[in-house]
Amino acid sequence: MDMQEQLRKIQEDAKQQIEKITDKAGLDALRLKMLGKKGDLTLLLRSMGQVPAEERPKVGQMINVVREHLTAQMDELDAKIKKMEQEKKLARESIDVTEPREHTAIGCVHPVSLVQDQLCKVFTGMGFDVVEGPEVELDLFNFELLNLPKNHPARDAQDTFYIEDNIVLRTHTSPVQARTMLSRKPPIRIVCPGRVYRADEVDATHSPVFHQMEGLVIDEDVTMADLKGTLDAFAKNLYGDDVTTRFRPSFFPFTEPSAEVDLTCVNCHGKGCRVCKGTGWIEVLGAGMVNPKVLDMCGIDSKKYSGFAFGVGLERIAMLRYGITDLRLFYEGDVRFLSQFRDD
Ligand code: PHE
């Protein structure tokens, strides 16, 4: 076979293969076979020694033309393959927006948070600000400024977790009252939701950590009637128009006079049932007129201003609202329990 014929054969060979190649690996193999160190064209060039000297320039040129031609063809194929691969990739990654999605679990709001949010809404609707305070609290705010001096017997009523001599885990949300009175001027209208701590044994109605919401109003001429009106509005908003409040005399060092506040039983609407133990009433709040001593200690002139305060347990409200009978359920994190509650 002379050189020309060999060249033609190589060209023919390459043409056939190029038609069949569909991927990069095939193309690379062909490049190697034609143009690599031991490739067909390379070997042909090496055998130029056998060609008579006068024909060498002509044959050399022919080989070069074929090489350029092949290179161009292979480059073209390379571009085509790249495009195809890109298209394949796009097709693979395209998203069918009409395809039904897999089931994903959606979280839900904890029932105590639901109640807290709703109470905040009711009170902000009445013009109250929501204020928060620290859970690790100074004795000063948790007790002293609330008229609970050291060795006051009422301190025993709240089994306190002490961090240090003068630092406690707050036993109620009332310290936020003291903090607010010291930092704001009347008129003051705030609610303070948050976690509180008491060294109680866990049972169906006790937990060492629970939630309260404190309310405080201070202005000129604030009376017990304002307290009653505010709590009535809160009760009706939460449980319906036929629910009202009943005040019973009580004692808190930081309020004078003080009251335990009952709501019409939300279960039987006052007729008497198991939930209210036949009385038609359920105790839910502590409240009273802010003790003038507390006002003065917190820098508010008790001759000019008066105020009322109340505190409510959020778990208690949630238990009544959702008919839950065991407090422990709130803290066990059982999704089957927690996912039942929705805002309505
Ligand atoms: N801080 C009281 C408690 O935790 C509740 C309360 C708040 C009572 C405000 C009166 C006024 O028991």
Side-chain angles (χ1 to χ4, degrees), residues 41 89 144 153 320:
L41 265 183
K89 191 167 169 238
E144 213 124 341
L320 290 172

Side-chain angles (χ1 to χ4, degrees), residues 68 79 135 325 341:
E68 270 163 35
E135 290 170 26
T325 50
F341 307 100

Side-chain angles (χ1 to χ4, degrees), residues 142-149 152-158 171-175 177 198 210 212-215 224 227 231 246-262 283-295 297 307-313:
N142 195 77
F143 292 126
E144 213 124 341
L145 290 173
L146 297 172
N147 198 29
L148 276 146
H152 190 292
R155 283 197 180 203
D156 294 343
Q158 303 189 345
T171 56
H172 49 180
T173 41
S174 302
Q177 281 190 38
R198 290 187 199 174
F210 58 102
Q212 281 190 338
M213 187 157 96
E214 191 83 5
M224 199 91 173
L227 170 61
L231 293 183
R246 175 176 83 167
F247 282 41
R248 283 180 290 110
S250 184
F251 171 79
F252 298 104
F254 33 93
T255 47
E256 181 59 38
S258 304
E260 301 277 3
V261 181
D262 302 337
E283 184 198 323
V284 285
L285 288 120
M289 300 308 291
V290 181
N291 192 323
K293 262 194 189 164
V294 171
L295 290 177
M297 277 191 285
F308 65 74
F310 57 86
V312 57

Side-chain angles (χ1 to χ4, degrees), residues 171-185:
T171 56
H172 49 180
T173 41
S174 302
V176 192
Q177 281 190 38
R179 286 177 171 274
T180 307
M181 286 190 265
L182 285 165
S183 65
R184 291 192 188 190
K185 290 200 167 51

Side-chain angles (χ1 to χ4, degrees), residues 205-222:
T205 54
H206 292 85
S207 161
V209 49
F210 58 102
H211 298 74
Q212 281 190 338
M213 187 157 96
E214 191 83 5
L216 174 73
V217 169
I218 294 175
D219 205 346
E220 291 177 31
D221 304 321
V222 173

Side-chain angles (χ1 to χ4, degrees), residues 119-138:
L119 292 194
C120 286
K121 222 189 267 170
V122 169
F123 281 103
T124 49
M126 292 197 272
F128 286 63
D129 285 345
V130 177
V131 176
E132 286 180 314
E135 290 170 26
V136 179
E137 184 56 284
L138 291 173

Side-chain angles (χ1 to χ4, degrees), residues 49-305:
Q50 297 157 20
V51 175
E54 66 278 12
E55 281 183 29
R56 269 183 215 158
K58 195 174 140 228
V59 172
Q61 206 192 356
M62 276 167 54
I63 294 178
N64 275 338
V65 168
V66 169
R67 206 217 333 243
E68 270 163 35
H69 191 64
L70 278 182
T71 308
Q73 273 183 315
M74 285 193 276
D75 286 350
E76 199 182 310
L77 181 61
D78 192 29
K80 212 159 97 192
I81 288 172
K82 276 198 184 119
K83 196 160 163 244
M84 264 162 46
E85 275 170 4
Q86 174 81 1
E87 272 162 15
K88 256 193 247 161
K89 191 167 169 238
L90 284 178
R92 224 179 18 245
E93 289 175 357
S94 75
I95 296 167
D96 177 2
V97 289
T98 63
E99 195 173 303
R101 69 185 171 85
E102 277 173 39
H103 174 75
T104 35
I106 297 174
C108 51
V109 182
H110 192 282
V112 172
S113 302
L114 283 175
V115 164
Q116 177 174 320
D117 292 349
Q118 195 189 356
L119 292 194
C120 286
K121 222 189 267 170
V122 169
F123 281 103
T124 49
M126 292 197 272
F128 286 63
D129 285 345
V130 177
V131 176
E132 286 180 314
E135 290 170 26
V136 179
E137 184 56 284
L138 291 173
D139 184 289
L140 177 73
F141 295 113
N142 195 77
F143 292 126
E144 213 124 341
L145 290 173
L146 297 172
N147 198 29
L148 276 146
K150 294 238 154 71
N151 305 319
H152 190 292
R155 283 197 180 203
D156 294 343
Q158 303 189 345
D159 296 312
T160 312
F161 286 116
Y162 279 88
I163 306 274
E164 281 172 25
D165 263 1
N166 281 315
I167 301 178
V168 300
L169 291 181
R170 65 177 178 190
T171 56
H172 49 180
T173 41
S174 302
V176 192
Q177 281 190 38
R179 286 177 171 274
T180 307
M181 286 190 265
L182 285 165
S183 65
R184 291 192 188 190
K185 290 200 167 51
I188 294 172
R189 237 183 274 143
I190 56 160
V191 282
C192 325
R195 248 182 236 133
V196 301
Y197 301 84
R198 290 187 199 174
D200 279 329
E201 290 289 338
V202 175
D203 65 24
T205 54
H206 292 85
S207 161
V209 49
F210 58 102
H211 298 74
Q212 281 190 338
M213 187 157 96
E214 191 83 5
L216 174 73
V217 169
I218 294 175
D219 205 346
E220 291 177 31
D221 304 321
V222 173
T223 69
M224 199 91 173
D226 296 314
L227 170 61
K228 171 94 173 146
T230 304
L231 293 183
D232 264 3
F234 145 82
K236 289 186 183 352
N237 228 313
L238 204 61
Y239 294 114
D241 279 345
D242 62 337
V243 173
T244 183
T245 60
R246 175 176 83 167
F247 282 41
R248 283 180 290 110
S250 184
F251 171 79
F252 298 104
F254 33 93
T255 47
E256 181 59 38
S258 304
E260 301 277 3
V261 181
D262 302 337
L263 299 189
T264 315
C265 177
V266 291
N267 191 47
C268 63
H269 298 267
K271 286 192 215 79
C273 68
R274 194 180 42 83
V275 176
C276 58
K277 299 192 182 84
T279 64
W281 295 97
I282 293 181
E283 184 198 323
V284 285
L285 288 120
M289 300 308 291
V290 181
N291 192 323
K293 262 194 189 164
V294 171
L295 290 177
D296 289 330
M297 277 191 285
C298 293
I300 289 179
D301 183 357
S302 62
K303 289 192 197 66
K304 186 168 177 208
Y305 294 105

